[in-house]
Amino acid sequence: MGRIVAIGECMGELSETETPGMLTMGFAGDTLNTAWYLKRCLNADWHVDYLTTVGTDTLSQRLVDFLANEGIGTHHVRRLADKTIGLYHISLRDGERSFTYWRNDSAARRLAADPAAIATALSDADIAYWSGITLAILPPADRITLLEALSQFAGRGGQVVFDPNLRPRLWDNTDSMRGWIHRAAAVSSLCLPSFDDEAAHFGDATPADTAARYRDQGTMRVVVKNGPGDVTLVDASGGLQTVAVPNADAIVDTTAAGDSFNAGYLAAELRGASMAEAASAGAALARKVIAARGALVPQAVGSTEN
Ligand code: ADP
């Protein structure tokens, strides 16, 4: 039995319903979405834990209950009395989504404030999964704490898996984002970037350039997603290959396409698939996720498992 620790922020999601003025409440966040799909894909073979910080209020407790109900371990969810979880509101008008966030002072920003808690969470783990969003929300000193903890974990043979998930609005400036993302890549052994973000913020001309840049930073293996385009893979010896993505039957909502791809990819690798087979599994899962509304799509998991 193995153990994966996903590290990041999960927020409350307020979305409009058909009834004007009525909102529904859910939970979402990039690393949580991946953890949720990983748990469903891997079932009983793996523990999937979530490392974050929440408040002691009712809303925070609802998030912890949600994680537990979904089979995600909450042992490493720390509580802070003076904070609560971040929130966002999503509205859909004529097919266009717009978001409003209240997350600047969220409890999750303190998730790396206690080095001992991170060390405990990672102590007997096999895989740590994190993202550029996880890094972006932390105070700079805590970014270093987390980078050092992951570096030590990697030094002990742990696998660190990283999705850069570039979000310039979460960073002071683009230069800072680029610098920290590369420091994150340096402690990660598998990097799962999305080409459109990387081209926009690093100026990469091709997915192969993206892969080469992360390899230069020290990431051994890179899987570059590219929407409906081929997935570009670079293995530990630097060998490059591409894998075609099946056409989508329907594109209803692309939320969590990348997050679910990452879970499908990783779950397949953990069952012994090659990088190319794992990329096909990731694409098959993402294809189902984008055919339905919302980030977490229960019916997307099932037939992609074998
Ligand atoms: P992100 O959601 O991080 O921006 P991408 O848009 O690159 O990531 O998509 C991640 C994966 O989702 C792709 O590698 C692909 O497998 C699948 N995907 C996304 N968009 C499409 C699409 N239009 N048709 C088919 N598959 C898609």
Side-chain angles (χ1 to χ4, degrees):
M1 185 107 179
R3 197 161 79 81
I4 301 174
V5 181
I7 307 169
E9 174 167 28
C10 179
M11 288 175 287
E13 179 192 80
L14 302 170
S15 50
E16 291 177 0
T17 62
E18 310 265 294
T19 315
M22 290 282 280
L23 298 173
T24 63
M25 166 95 198
F27 296 102
D30 66 332
T31 49
L32 172 86
N33 299 340
T34 302
W36 188 89
Y37 283 108
L38 274 171
K39 184 63 204 168
R40 296 219 164 198
C41 291
L42 291 166
N43 211 346
D45 298 339
W46 285 77
H47 283 300
V48 179
D49 283 337
Y50 200 56
L51 189 163
T52 193
T53 20
V54 301
T56 52
D57 57 313
T58 305
L59 196 52
S60 296
Q61 186 56 45
R62 281 206 195 151
L63 165 57
V64 176
D65 292 344
F66 167 79
L67 296 172
N69 283 336
E70 298 297 327
I72 297 170
T74 58
H75 206 66
H76 302 288
V77 177
R78 282 192 309 124
R79 322 269 177 141
L80 300 172
D82 58 339
K83 299 281 180 197
T84 187
I85 62 170
L87 283 181
Y88 69 95
H89 172 268
I90 176 167
S91 73
L92 198 60
R93 289 265 181 286
D94 306 324
E96 282 292 309
R97 289 176 301 154
S98 66
F99 298 88
T100 307
Y101 290 93
W102 299 266
R103 71 189 301 192
N104 288 347
D105 190 35
S106 68
R109 292 188 178 247
R110 306 288 306 282
L111 70 84
D114 180 355
I118 300 175
T120 305
L122 292 176
S123 65
D124 63 350
D126 300 280
I127 295 174
Y129 178 83
W130 69 315
S131 78
I133 296 177
T134 309
L135 194 62
I137 62 167
L138 304 179
D142 292 2
R143 290 179 191 152
I144 292 170
T145 302
L146 185 55
L147 283 166
E148 283 176 354
L150 289 169
S151 171
Q152 283 169 15
F153 173 68
R156 296 195 302 271
Q159 191 186 173
V160 180
V161 182
F162 179 65
D163 183 336
N165 252 333
L166 304 175
R167 297 289 182 276
R169 270 185 297 179
L170 291 178
W171 295 91
D172 288 341
N173 58 66
T174 318
D175 275 349
S176 166
M177 173 177 80
R178 288 193 282 244
W180 284 105
I181 290 290
H182 278 175
R183 289 175 76 169
V187 303
S188 303
S189 50
L190 173 62
C191 186
L192 302 157
S194 289
F195 178 63
D196 54 353
D197 289 349
E198 304 293 326
H201 303 299
F202 282 98
D204 300 334
T206 65
D209 292 342
T210 300
R213 181 170 47 76
Y214 282 112
R215 291 258 306 161
D216 285 346
Q217 301 307 316
T219 311
M220 266 206 312
R221 300 188 301 137
V222 187
V223 176
V224 187
K225 296 160 277 179
N226 190 15
D230 291 355
V231 179
T232 300
L233 310 171
V234 175
D235 64 25
S237 59
L240 184 143
Q241 55 184 315
T242 55
V243 172
V245 158
N247 287 335
D249 292 332
I251 304 180
V252 174
D253 177 1
T254 58
T255 305
D259 305 334
S260 58
F261 176 98
N262 295 352
Y265 177 93
L266 206 51
E269 271 204 343
L270 295 175
R271 284 193 295 262
S274 66
M275 285 186 81
E277 290 163 348
S280 293
L285 177 56
R287 180 173 176 269
K288 293 183 183 175
V289 169
I290 64 179
R293 253 184 98 155
L296 307 178
V297 180
Q299 67 272 25
V301 188
S303 54
T304 57
E305 283 188 37
N306 294 306

